[in-house]
Amino acid sequence: MKRLLLLLPFLASLPLLGATPRVALRTVVTGLGSPVAITSPGDRSGRLFITEQRGTIRVVDRGSLVQTPFLDVSTLVSCCGERGLLSVAFHPRYAENGFFYIDYTDRNGDTVIARYSVSPTDDDVASPSSALVLLKIAQPYSNHNGGQLQFGPDGYLYIGMGDGGSGGDPGNRAQDLSTLLGKLLRIDVDAASPYAIPSSNPFVGNSSARGEIWALGLRNPWRFSFDRQNTDLWIGDVGQNAWEEIDLQRVGSIGGENYGWRLMEGTHCYNPSSNCDNGGITRPVLEYSHAQGCSVTGGYRYRGLRYPNLQGMYLYADYCSGTLWGALPDAQGRWSATVLLQTAKTVSTFGEDEDGEVYLADYSGGVIYQIVDQVILRKRAARR
């Protein structure tokens, strides 16, 4: 009993685990132009790097926006709509080699994946003359460019590619293994120049398939992420006219999943209108109809330490409605989502800092926000 009494003050100071989080958005930085990606360099600097669609990458250092862009490739980029400079990914050994990779649509409207290097004299400025083009992919239309780059836990670079655009994937490219469109790609940027294809990619050795393909059947995987705790891969795939979806590739996958497009939109037949699944489709774990929005923005599973009530929750949003959801699995592993906040923001992207705290961007407002839990903030403030 005496030991319990001694513990009571400590227990009372802990957050109320399991309580429903009351999510709010804390302003981090304003004054950005069309932000479309938020990235941490992983160098323990605490900085965030914000991709602006028209062709610049900006640095946020200790809550302040560095005025000089980290990189400006606006003369190379076609913008805007669904084109532009779409994301940046920092090499896992960025602190040692200074390499980072960008995804943009060039003046012809084609996708370019290129490597750059940081300046040897200034960590907040890149060397614009260091460009090495790794991959160029022709785009038949101006929409559905994908655009996400992420290094996976395996050290390979993952690239999200949309189906080439128009509507309804008229070329059925997402199901065509001879094209990189409508796919998630995986390449090795270290084994060869400009890159090598990992021998463990699922279609290596298939003469009718591109070896870079890791997964297929995607319409426009605008934003995807890896769970920093268990390395699951989460993909937000933008729908056509009726359904938005979140796909999940679990740790240990050997790749080759078919996420269904254009056979299916979410869990619903699209083309053909019936009998569309022969058993080979990996269905989404979450979906919502266009009664709730029009374009999903994939996010992150929260693994930070500041807000325990968000722990393990997958956070995602809709670009049009501004709805922010949090999803959790039940005991059987079935996922369901709860509306956390109606933001009235055009949520274009999410991002993590080095500690796993999660941020989102308001595309129209040019603002970066941190997702916080008001319940925890108020408890901490009351203890001061």
Side-chain angles (χ1 to χ4, degrees):
M1 177 63 70
K2 183 178 180 180
R3 181 177 296 177
L4 178 59
L5 290 173
L6 290 172
L7 282 172
L8 282 175
F10 170 74
L11 294 173
S13 70
L14 292 176
L16 184 59
L17 298 179
T20 301
R22 293 186 61 188
V23 164
L25 302 179
R26 182 183 70 83
T27 300
V28 175
V29 69
T30 62
L32 294 159
S34 305
V36 292
I38 305 167
T39 316
S40 165
D43 61 357
R44 301 313 303 173
S45 67
R47 296 174 297 170
L48 291 174
F49 286 69
I50 314 302
T51 302
E52 296 178 311
Q53 189 179 12
R54 293 188 180 277
T56 49
I57 298 172
R58 308 292 299 278
V59 179
V60 178
D61 190 3
R62 291 182 289 274
S64 296
L65 184 65
V66 177
Q67 290 306 304
T68 301
F70 177 70
L71 180 70
D72 186 344
V73 292
S74 55
T75 59
L76 305 178
V77 170
S78 60
C79 189
C80 285
E82 296 183 26
R83 292 173 167 175
L85 177 61
L86 302 179
S87 72
V88 59
F90 291 85
H91 193 282
R93 297 193 305 277
Y94 175 73
E96 304 166 28
N97 61 30
F99 292 153
F100 64 95
Y101 302 78
I102 64 173
D103 182 314
Y104 67 92
T105 46
D106 66 15
R107 291 293 184 176
N108 294 321
D110 298 326
T111 292
V112 175
I113 311 298
R115 188 191 78 190
Y116 283 79
S117 299
V118 68
S119 165
T121 59
D122 188 343
D123 289 345
D124 285 340
V125 178
S127 174
S129 62
S130 63
L132 172 68
V133 173
L134 276 65
L135 187 59
K136 192 170 184 178
I137 303 170
Q139 292 283 1
Y141 299 96
S142 63
N143 56 340
H144 304 179
N145 293 290
Q148 179 74 56
L149 299 180
Q150 286 265 12
F151 277 94
D154 51 18
Y156 296 135
L157 181 62
Y158 289 71
I159 304 166
M161 291 301 303
D163 65 10
S166 187
D169 192 7
N172 200 22
R173 295 179 177 90
Q175 294 295 320
D176 181 357
L177 291 174
S178 70
T179 176
L180 300 180
L181 298 173
K183 313 296 190 304
L184 187 65
L185 313 180
R186 186 176 81 149
I187 63 174
D188 185 342
V189 299
D190 295 321
S193 182
Y195 69 89
I197 296 173
S199 60
S200 55
N201 275 11
F203 300 106
V204 168
N206 182 340
S207 60
S208 61
R210 291 290 299 265
E212 295 94 338
I213 296 171
W214 178 249
L216 67 148
L218 294 164
R219 182 178 179 272
N220 193 29
W222 167 243
R223 290 293 172 254
F224 62 85
S225 66
F226 290 92
D227 182 335
R228 62 168 52 203
Q229 180 170 304
N230 66 18
T231 70
D232 285 345
L233 171 60
W234 292 84
I235 307 169
D237 195 20
V238 179
Q240 180 65 40
N241 298 320
W243 296 94
E244 304 295 307
E245 70 181 76
I246 302 290
D247 299 308
L248 173 59
Q249 185 185 80
R250 298 192 182 277
V251 59
S253 168
I254 59 172
E257 285 89 346
N258 184 344
Y259 292 109
W261 179 251
R262 68 179 185 179
L263 297 168
M264 304 186 77
E265 182 185 9
T267 60
H268 311 267
C269 286
Y270 181 81
N271 186 359
S273 59
S274 61
N275 301 317
C276 57
D277 186 357
N278 62 5
I281 292 175
T282 300
R283 297 196 176 203
V285 294
L286 294 161
E287 69 174 359
Y288 63 91
S289 79
H290 280 202
Q292 298 172 282
C294 79
S295 181
V296 67
T297 301
Y300 286 81
R301 200 167 181 193
Y302 181 81
R303 297 300 189 182
L305 298 177
R306 293 184 184 178
Y307 307 111
N309 292 337
L310 291 173
Q311 189 58 233
M313 187 173 286
Y314 178 70
L315 304 169
Y316 65 106
D318 185 83
Y319 177 83
C320 304
S321 67
T323 305
L324 174 65
W325 288 275
L328 287 168
D330 62 17
Q332 288 73 44
R334 296 170 300 203
W335 288 80
S336 60
T338 300
V339 174
L340 298 179
L341 193 65
Q342 294 289 355
T343 72
K345 314 294 183 187
T346 48
V347 183
S348 57
T349 194
F350 290 80
E352 281 183 316
D353 65 18
E354 292 174 338
D355 297 323
E357 300 304 322
V358 179
Y359 303 77
L360 63 80
D362 177 11
Y363 178 86
S364 300
V367 183
I368 304 300
Y369 297 94
Q370 183 182 358
I371 299 173
V372 300
D373 181 356
Q374 294 184 89
V375 173
I376 302 302
L377 288 179
R378 287 171 181 169
K379 284 180 176 289
R380 290 172 180 165
R383 294 197 297 267
R384 291 183 186 140

